[in-house]
Amino acid sequence: MTGVASSTARIAVTFAAALAVTLVPAGTANAATAYCESLTEASNPDWLGGLPDDTSLAALSLPGTHDTLSLHGGDITQTQENHGDSAETLTAQLDAGVRAIDIRVRKVDNEFTIHHGTFYQNANFADVLAKADAFLAAHPGETIVLRLKAECTGDIGSCTDENSDQDTATILDRYADEDPNGGRLYNPAADGMPTLGDARGKIVLGALQEAKGGLVGGYGLSQFTNDNWGEYVQDEYNVPTVGDIDDKWNHVRDHWDKTNSADSGEMFWNFSSGSSLGANPKTVSCGTGDTRGVNDHALEHLASNDVPRTGVVLMDFPGGDLINEVISRNS
């Protein structure tokens, strides 16, 4: 990992001025709430353990995080509460009950570093595996669904891969084969939809995607294809202005309706996240002034309506009560 270390050292200067996450006083627009920026108010380290082994993974309601380790780079880039670099934030999320993660990687010296756009997130994929492995060793009844996506397009505003001649799948295979922390990464591509019993104690690869979104064949859940991705995944991420937050919420709510009218053997992913230069991720999720964020709408909707299954919900800055509400759908 010498090449990775040298590259991250060069990049580290960029983040010297990165803002630490703080919770502003109650009554202001970005104060911690039941629906936003109160991750550690939830404590659910073993919540899957009591569910039957024959439960389809698709039938579960799984709280997740979008751009799981995006902590640095400013308001337009940060998507999660900062509970520490080197994937310490992942540990906090897993302890809270998060069971679906969205990891974005840059290829450096044929290794994976964690990036959001041009910004290195002070973590590497090896850190993700180490923290996930440690959690699963301590909580063997649990599972983690992983979406892994190459981040670097080389376009303006994105990163560029460095000194790497291996493709994304080849590098991932090496991590799976050589992982010194337990080798828990499970590619279910040939097995159909796993049951919870199949998935316990494992990191289940839900999807492997290239930088422009194309799925890599032979990896992840066989249900997902490049042709049907939009049928099962709601990711209307462009929220041009604060005034468009309600439209984003409508997409989330409509996808929950779709999830609950479908076969429980089909998995649905619902991104509640969104952003643009006119509305950063925290504003979209948490709201600002008199404008309610998506997380606020989501918590109210779940608490007051019959939503039997949420599917996988990938959130920015989720609050403890929102995580608990998603988990409460499982029985």
Side-chain angles (χ1 to χ4, degrees), residues 153-330:
T153 66
D155 298 335
I156 294 173
S158 183
C159 48
T160 301
D161 294 327
E162 181 178 327
N163 195 30
S164 294
D165 57 7
Q166 296 178 353
D167 62 26
T168 307
T170 299
I171 296 173
L172 180 62
D173 285 343
R174 194 179 70 253
Y175 276 104
D177 292 340
E178 300 178 0
D179 177 15
N181 303 299
R184 296 179 185 274
L185 189 61
Y186 167 41
N187 176 20
D191 300 333
M193 184 63 64
T195 65
L196 182 53
D198 297 328
R200 292 194 197 277
K202 298 175 183 176
I203 306 164
V204 178
L205 182 65
L208 178 64
Q209 292 173 280
E210 296 293 1
K212 300 209 182 243
L215 290 160
V216 179
Y219 291 81
L221 296 167
S222 58
Q223 169 193 308
F224 297 132
T225 68
N226 286 314
D227 290 335
N228 72 14
W229 180 253
E231 295 178 29
Y232 296 111
V233 179
Q234 183 283 121
D235 189 14
E236 296 289 340
Y237 59 84
N238 184 32
V239 181
T241 70
V242 171
D244 296 299
I245 293 174
D246 281 354
D247 289 339
K248 172 63 190 183
W249 158 239
N250 289 336
H251 287 299
V252 174
R253 184 193 58 209
D254 291 348
H255 201 62
W256 277 339
D257 290 343
K258 184 177 182 179
T259 300
N260 283 288
S261 65
D263 190 304
S264 63
E266 297 177 317
M267 181 178 282
F268 288 79
W269 291 4
N270 202 344
F271 286 82
S272 64
S273 53
S275 68
S276 71
L277 292 176
N280 65 51
K282 187 181 290 186
T283 296
V284 172
S285 296
C286 303
T288 183
D290 294 330
T291 302
R292 298 175 67 191
V294 174
N295 290 3
D296 186 5
H297 285 293
L299 178 57
E300 179 184 64
H301 185 74
L302 291 175
S304 58
N305 290 275
D306 182 18
V307 182
R309 175 173 63 137
T310 67
V312 176
V313 190
L314 295 140
M315 303 173 278
D316 287 346
F317 300 100
D321 281 9
L322 182 53
I323 291 170
N324 290 339
E325 276 291 341
V326 174
I327 291 173
S328 73
R329 267 63 202 163
N330 299 279

Side-chain angles (χ1 to χ4, degrees), residues 73-88:
D75 289 346
I76 194 62
T77 303
Q78 185 177 354
T79 62
Q80 304 299 329
E81 290 179 53
N82 189 339
H83 292 279
D85 291 334
S86 301
E88 290 290 348

